[in-house]
């Protein structure tokens, strides 16, 4: 968490936003924007103009950051294990290492 000076924060991600990200991941329809700090944030394709969840894989691959587009100052941090557990439950997901 020390990377980029991030502190843990409470982030309220509406179920609909997380469901939209899950659906986008399951059919591989995510878009990406790179922020000035160099972090690449992924979001469901076609949702940029509406509230959406954004996800970034941190350098080193041991953390995944999530935030809402409506409050980019607050970020939730998942371990890669938590992320893989979430992503592995999506329709059409392949097991890690496949």
């Amino acid at each position: 968490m020390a990377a980029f000076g991030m502190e843990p924060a409470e982030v309220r991600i509406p179920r609909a936003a997380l469901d939209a990200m899950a659906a986008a991941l399951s059919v591989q329809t995510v878009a990406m924007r790179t922020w000035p700090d160099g972090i690449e944030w992924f979001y469901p394709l076609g949702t940029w103009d509406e509230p959406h969840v954004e996800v970034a894989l941190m350098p080193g691959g041991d953390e995944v950051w999530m935030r809402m587009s409506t409050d980019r100052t607050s970020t939730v941090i998942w371990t890669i294990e938590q992320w893989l557990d979430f992503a592995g439950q999506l329709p059409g997901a392949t097991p890690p290492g496949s």
Side-chain angles (χ1 to χ4, degrees):
M1 287 188 289
F4 306 106
M6 292 296 296
E7 293 293 327
E10 180 176 324
V11 178
R12 296 186 183 271
I13 299 176
R15 178 72 189 193
L18 195 54
D19 286 349
M21 175 56 86
L25 288 171
S26 70
V27 294
Q28 300 177 358
T29 57
V30 293
M32 182 201 62
R33 291 225 175 160
T34 302
W35 248 237
D37 59 10
I39 297 175
E40 297 174 337
W41 288 92
F42 296 86
Y43 63 96
L45 187 66
T47 64
W48 188 255
D49 294 326
E50 56 192 62
H52 60 273
V53 69
E54 299 172 343
V55 175
L57 177 63
M58 290 298 98
D62 56 349
E63 289 180 345
V64 175
W65 292 2
M66 291 192 310
R67 66 185 183 185
M68 280 299 298
S69 61
T70 52
D71 179 12
R72 292 188 172 110
T73 63
S74 298
T75 303
V76 65
I77 300 171
W78 279 6
T79 65
I80 194 65
E81 291 81 13
Q82 291 170 312
W83 176 256
L84 291 174
D85 182 52
F86 167 74
Q89 296 177 33
L90 299 177
T94 57
S98 294

